[in-house]
């Protein structure tokens, strides 16, 4: 049987967090003969990857020949924001069950995308299931080391500047490495109604009245839901003044929440004043997208411990947790 031509001119497009479309050119005579495609997909090694982790097994996909371009989809072998290399081979299945195969094409590289809004909406629905009842609160707070606040006063004109969101949480979150913000907490202790006296981020705490950051002039967005191999689950929310650059960034990428009616963080007018509530059974991480003036709040030292084990800095999400994972790339 006449040999098959080697696939050439590989093109990759329509890339999402767990799919891509691929096409290539082959000789005209092969189009009617080819019965199968073989696709060799490999995750590129990250220079910062864990040296003790098992290497990812290359994925060899076999597909019946269909008109090109064809869509390759699968959350079990494609992860968001990940670089891959791909090569293709065509084949004719013969009467004896063996394959006549072409040579392998050249290898091309591509990077998968972030979670889309519909994926984040699925995460939001899962988070809502465990959010619990709402507790009232009155302040947002931010813990850091003493040196941080000294630096803010001496070098930043008393303004806490937004910093780049790290890679903690879901690997596909569109905020990681993209959105700038000042990070706050708002969870309170059930028995006191006050912020906890322990923190993983430093012994000095800045507290600011909730209305300074969250009002009807603020947009609220859902950004992530994750855990770190523990029983605790975290929800990341974004507060952005309406019309701000952060608001425009989030509007294109994140599900927007009704500030007065959602399962995580609310702001409602009651008897002429704004009243605030947070979900009891999840830990909220709140990103405020604009600088915050220290003069708008108070700074003090907490009496509890610095619980480093609860830090989420660059924390990796547990990909096996059924509570906070969805059926797309992890």
């Amino acid at each position: 049987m006449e040999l098959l031509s080697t696939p050439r001119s590989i093109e990759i497009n329509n890339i999402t967090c767990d799919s891509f479309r691929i096409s290539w050119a082959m000789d005209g005579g092969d189009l009617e003969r080819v019965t199968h495609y073989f696709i060799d997909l490999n995750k590129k090694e990250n220079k910062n990857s864990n040296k003790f982790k098992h290497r990812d097994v290359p994925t060899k996909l076999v597909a019946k020949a269909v008109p090109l371009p064809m869509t390759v989809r699968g959350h079990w072998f494609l992860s968001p924001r990940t670089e891959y290399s791909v090569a293709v081979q065509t084949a004719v299945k013969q009467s004896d069950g063996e394959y006549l195969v072409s040579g392998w094409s050249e290898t091309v590289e591509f990077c998968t995308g972030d979670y889309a809004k519909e994926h984040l909406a699925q995460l939001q629905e899962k988070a809502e299931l465990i959010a619990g009842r709402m507790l009232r609160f009155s302040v947002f707070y931010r813990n850091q080391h003493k040196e941080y606040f000294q630096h803010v006063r001496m070098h930043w004109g008393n303004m806490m500047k937004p910093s780049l969101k790290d890679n903690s949480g879901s690997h596909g979150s569109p905020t990681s490495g993209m959105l700038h913000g000042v990070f706050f907490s708002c969870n309170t202790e059930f028995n006191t109604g006050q912020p906890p006296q322990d923190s993983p981020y430093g012994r000095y705490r800045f507290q600011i009245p909730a209305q300074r950051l969250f009002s009807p002039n603020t947009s609220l967005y859902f950004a992530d839901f994750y855990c770190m191999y523990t029983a605790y689950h975290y929800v990341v929310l974004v507060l952005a003044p309406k019309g701000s650059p952060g608001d425009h960034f989030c509007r294109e990428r994140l599900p927007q929440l009704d500030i007065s009616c959602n399962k995580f963080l609310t702001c409602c007018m009651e008897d002429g004043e704004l009243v605030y509530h947070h979900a009891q059974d999840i830990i909220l991480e709140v990103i405020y997208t604009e600088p915050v003036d220290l003069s708008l709040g108070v700074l003090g030292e907490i009496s509890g411990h610095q619980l480093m084990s609860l830090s989420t800095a660059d924390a990796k999400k547990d990909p096996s947790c059924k509570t906070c994972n969805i059926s797309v790339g992890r």
Side-chain angles (χ1 to χ4, degrees), residues 287-303:
I287 303 173
Y288 186 74
T289 61
E290 298 297 306
V292 177
D293 193 332
L294 286 180
S295 67
L296 299 178
V298 295
L299 182 64
E301 187 173 2
I302 61 173
S303 60

Side-chain angles (χ1 to χ4, degrees), residues 145-161 294 299:
H145 298 288
K146 182 178 182 179
E147 292 75 18
Y148 167 81
F149 291 110
Q150 289 176 336
H151 187 87
V152 169
R153 284 173 169 152
M154 294 177 62
H155 302 286
W156 291 352
N158 228 41
M159 301 293 289
M160 292 187 291
K161 293 184 178 181
L294 286 180
L299 182 64

Side-chain angles (χ1 to χ4, degrees), residues 148-297:
Y148 167 81
F149 291 110
Q150 289 176 336
H151 187 87
V152 169
R153 284 173 169 152
M154 294 177 62
H155 302 286
W156 291 352
N158 228 41
M159 301 293 289
M160 292 187 291
K161 293 184 178 181
S163 59
L164 190 64
K165 166 76 170 65
D166 65 12
N167 290 316
S168 61
S170 300
H171 194 52
S173 173
T175 60
S176 295
M178 296 293 291
L179 179 67
H180 288 78
V182 184
F183 299 83
F184 286 91
S185 301
C186 65
N187 288 82
T188 56
E189 292 184 324
F190 171 74
N191 56 341
T192 67
Q194 298 299 315
Q197 281 301 310
D198 301 317
S199 171
Y201 302 110
R203 293 191 56 80
Y204 283 80
R205 173 174 292 167
F206 172 74
Q207 293 190 165
I208 184 169
Q211 62 267 29
R212 293 288 192 178
L213 304 183
F214 192 17
S215 75
N217 295 319
T218 313
S219 297
L220 176 65
Y221 297 93
F222 176 88
D224 201 4
F225 176 45
Y226 70 99
C227 70
M228 305 179 297
Y229 303 90
T230 66
Y232 304 108
H233 276 86
Y234 299 81
V235 165
V236 181
L237 303 174
V238 181
L239 288 173
K242 290 182 177 179
S244 66
D247 189 28
H248 292 306
F249 174 93
C250 294
R251 193 175 300 273
E252 295 177 357
R253 298 167 176 84
L254 306 179
Q256 187 168 3
L257 301 176
D258 183 336
I259 67 168
S260 63
C261 183
N262 68 81
K263 297 287 189 179
F264 311 115
L265 184 71
T266 60
C267 167
C268 300
M269 184 67 72
E270 296 182 11
D271 298 326
E273 65 173 306
L274 292 174
V275 176
Y276 298 89
H277 291 85
H278 71 81
Q280 174 184 346
D281 295 339
I282 50 178
I283 300 175
L284 293 178
E285 298 182 310
V286 181
I287 303 173
Y288 186 74
T289 61
E290 298 297 306
V292 177
D293 193 332
L294 286 180
S295 67
L296 299 178

Side-chain angles (χ1 to χ4, degrees), residues 68-143:
L68 297 175
M70 68 175 287
T71 298
V72 177
R73 183 186 306 277
H75 68 270
W76 57 93
F77 57 80
L78 285 173
S79 297
R81 275 200 190 184
T82 303
E83 293 183 326
Y84 291 91
S85 63
V86 64
V88 297
Q89 188 179 48
T90 58
V92 177
K93 189 171 185 178
Q94 303 176 100
S95 57
D96 61 0
E98 296 296 317
Y99 288 94
L100 172 71
V101 298
S102 72
W104 283 103
S105 72
E106 77 272 20
T107 298
V108 296
E109 297 178 352
F110 69 98
C111 185
T112 48
D114 295 333
Y115 282 159
K117 274 188 179 181
E118 56 263 33
H119 303 130
L120 291 169
Q122 293 176 43
L123 273 182
Q124 178 185 329
E125 289 176 5
K126 292 181 78 76
E128 288 172 347
L129 294 176
I130 69 161
R133 68 173 184 148
M134 303 294 280
L135 300 179
R136 190 164 175 170
F137 77 102
S138 60
V139 297
F140 290 101
Y141 55 93
R142 172 175 172 82
N143 277 71

